[in-house]
Amino acid sequence: DAKTTQPTSMDCAEGRAANLPCNHSTISGNEYVYWYRQIHSQGPQYIIHGLKNNETNEMASLIITEDRKSSTLILPHATLRDTAVYYCIVIQAGTALIFGKGTTLSVSS
Amino acid sequence: GAVVSQHPSWVICKSGTSVKIECRSLDFQATTMFWYRQFPKQSLMLMATSNEGSKATYEQGVEKDKFLINHASLTLSTLTVTSAHPEDSSFYICSAHSERTFASLSPQHFGDGTRLSIL
């Protein structure tokens, strides 16, 4: 599986957009980009996934570069409850998620 | 939809006892379930993958005789930690995936984890 690189931590003010980057320069053509987050002492929560096109759902937007070597997760209006560890994972469909260290996002008022 | 329930949420037991953790998919049929372990301040580590009706596939370094996994039905998988010792204390998390109910690229859905403390 392709590896991903994420910043260790990021800060965001409440109400502002949180933009979380992820590099996946060795991604293969049949691999998807998945984003999960884990709030302290809970199981990971699915956020969004994509292959080539940008995606948006009720939680976030996913922007994938044209060469697919990087992506950005956007939380449009961050709240205190968005404080969590965010994981960017690149996998083939249906295979196990392998978690890296993720980005710890701290949202403050 | 796509709810995964894990039980118990936390358990404390004496060294040497066996502990069973249940993982249930409540509103879908899980063709595949995954078990992860997470130590404090670390990321999730995949332990094993189980498909309904077949033996689990364990990751390198995970003792299959110590961590018994059963996936007897499409809605239930169990992880039994046998003869548990203090070093087995960890946060155990399951996830479920379905190719029958959803497309193959549907995401895994996670339970809320079981915090296991061995005294």
Side-chain angles (χ1 to χ4, degrees), chain A:
Chain A
D1 291 344
K3 290 186 177 179
T4 62
T5 304
Q6 298 178 254
T8 302
S9 62
M10 293 184 66
D11 295 320
C12 181
E14 191 176 22
R16 304 296 295 269
N19 298 301
L20 289 84
C22 179
N23 286 324
H24 31 80
S25 59
T26 60
I27 190 171
S28 300
N30 61 348
E31 289 180 317
Y32 292 77
V33 181
Y34 283 80
W35 282 84
Y36 281 77
R37 71 181 182 184
Q38 185 178 26
I39 295 169
H40 183 61
S41 296
Q42 296 182 21
Q45 177 188 24
Y46 166 77
I47 301 174
I48 199 167
H49 73 278
L51 180 64
K52 295 185 202 177
N53 300 323
N54 298 338
E55 302 288 345
T56 295
N57 62 21
E58 64 278 4
M59 288 183 68
S61 294
L62 174 60
I63 308 298
I64 303 174
T65 58
E66 194 169 339
D67 62 8
R68 301 186 70 233
K69 292 185 177 182
S70 65
S71 61
T72 301
L73 177 74
I74 301 173
L75 307 178
H77 305 286
T79 70
L80 298 178
R81 287 189 290 184
D82 291 322
T83 293
V85 180
Y86 287 76
Y87 297 98
C88 168
I89 302 169
V90 171
I91 56 167
Q92 294 181 19
T95 59
L97 295 168
I98 303 299
F99 289 81
K101 296 183 179 180
T103 296
T104 299
L105 175 67
S106 299
V107 181
S108 57
S109 57

Side-chain angles (χ1 to χ4, degrees), chain B residues 8-27:
Chain B
S9 300
W10 58 272
V11 59
I12 302 173
C13 61
K14 292 182 179 179
S15 183
T17 58
S18 293
V19 179
K20 180 184 284 188
I21 301 169
E22 292 187 348
C23 179
R24 295 181 184 271
S25 56
L26 297 185
D27 51 1

